[in-house]
Amino acid sequence: MFGYNALDVGIIIVVIFGALYGSYRGFVVSLLSFAGKILSAILAINFLEKFISVFKIKELFMKGVVDIVKDYLPMSDEIKNMKFSEEGVNIAGSSFENNAFAKIMGENISREIKHLAEAGEQFSFETVGDMMGLIVANYIINIVSFIILFLLFLLGFSLLKAVLVKIIGLSDIVTGVDKFLGLLFGTGVNVFLLAFVLGFSYDILNLMVLEDGGLLSKYRYLLNESTLQSYFYNVYSLIISEGTKLL
């Protein structure tokens, strides 16, 4: 259909839905909702290390995640089994070129290893695969933990927003201008969220070795063939590059 695949159609539908929903709620309510998401993200970042430490998440899941991740690293068994050395790391790094998430991950390998050592965790890197598996697993655990915290804080802010809207009566003062601004705001928020979801899944799936015919493999094919995905990936790359400067 004019060069667009099923994923492109889905993207268009989500953007249109965001615009209509933003218009329905109005700018003020949409802004409160977005502010809740931003505050949830900030709080999730600030409490992330504490959350991981208190619930001993890495102690419980790190080894299992490493074992899974190592099988999906986009490098040959020969590279994975290379003795851990600077040369081996450089060769492995070439497997992650042109990937925004992996590029940042690679740039922070030394920092991550130092951080793990300072945290008192004992890891021995016998092979390049061991080291890369640990680094990737560490990022995955951090990201999943962040998402859990974000959703918990977001639930709290959503309940608070609902109470405020009911008390102040914002739902009764949605004007034409407020609806139009809400439409623009809803569109922008959905584009932002879509960019992150599509970009992150593109990077992660293109790092993995997947069997043909599987659900993830089909989704990766749609991502790679999508006409709109490249535009969203540019936004995602900007989010990643600028976001890491704040961390």
Side-chain angles (χ1 to χ4, degrees):
M1 190 180 76
F2 305 109
Y4 294 97
N5 62 19
L7 181 61
D8 291 316
V9 174
I11 291 172
I12 293 171
I13 291 174
V14 170
V15 172
I16 292 175
F17 174 80
L20 295 177
Y21 189 56
S23 177
Y24 169 76
R25 293 198 302 175
F27 176 71
V28 176
V29 175
S30 297
L31 184 61
L32 283 175
S33 179
F34 185 70
K37 292 182 176 67
I38 295 297
L39 289 173
S40 296
I42 292 173
L43 289 173
I45 291 173
N46 288 332
F47 285 95
L48 181 60
E49 289 191 12
K50 189 70 174 178
F51 175 75
I52 291 174
S53 174
V54 169
F55 291 96
K56 301 185 183 301
I57 292 176
K58 289 186 179 179
E59 288 86 339
L60 291 172
F61 300 106
M62 179 67 86
K63 186 178 185 303
V65 176
V66 170
D67 291 340
I68 295 173
V69 166
K70 284 174 63 177
D71 293 333
Y72 292 98
L73 291 174
M75 56 184 68
S76 66
D77 290 337
E78 181 181 359
I79 296 177
K80 290 181 186 177
N81 295 324
M82 286 183 64
K83 185 176 179 180
F84 178 70
S85 63
E86 183 177 352
E87 179 185 4
V89 171
N90 290 334
I91 293 175
S94 64
S95 303
F96 298 92
E97 293 179 353
N98 301 319
N99 187 303
F101 176 75
K103 180 182 178 182
I104 292 171
M105 180 188 70
E107 291 173 350
N108 291 297
I109 283 178
S110 297
R111 187 190 68 184
E112 290 296 333
I113 293 175
K114 182 179 179 181
H115 174 74
L116 291 171
E118 290 175 348
E121 297 167 330
Q122 299 299 318
F123 298 101
S124 58
F125 304 126
E126 295 183 1
T127 66
V128 170
D130 290 336
M131 186 275 296
M132 295 302 294
L134 176 63
I135 297 301
V136 175
N138 189 54
Y139 272 88
I140 290 175
I141 288 177
N142 286 343
I143 290 169
V144 172
S145 298
F146 168 81
I147 291 173
I148 293 172
L149 268 181
F150 172 77
L151 292 176
L152 290 174
F153 283 120
L154 185 60
L155 176 61
F157 280 116
S158 296
L159 294 174
L160 179 61
K161 183 201 71 177
V163 172
L164 287 175
V165 169
K166 187 172 182 179
I167 293 174
I168 301 174
L170 290 174
S171 58
D172 298 327
I173 59 173
V174 179
T175 65
V177 174
D178 193 54
K179 282 181 173 292
F180 177 71
L181 292 176
L183 182 147
L184 296 179
F185 192 78
T187 302
V189 169
N190 268 30
V191 167
F192 178 87
L193 294 176
L194 272 173
F196 187 82
V197 171
L198 292 172
F200 182 72
S201 59
Y202 176 86
D203 277 351
I204 292 297
L205 291 177
N206 280 290
L207 286 175
M208 299 170 65
V209 179
L210 301 173
E211 294 183 5
D212 293 335
L215 183 62
L216 289 178
S217 179
K218 291 178 180 178
Y219 176 55
R220 181 171 66 182
Y221 174 79
L222 287 174
L223 276 173
N224 291 335
E225 296 298 316
S226 169
T227 299
L228 299 177
Q229 193 275 339
S230 60
Y231 299 103
F232 283 89
Y233 192 82
N234 290 333
V235 177
Y236 164 76
S237 298
L238 181 63
I239 295 171
I240 289 294
S241 61
E242 295 300 319
T244 52
K245 295 177 182 178
L246 302 175
L247 301 177

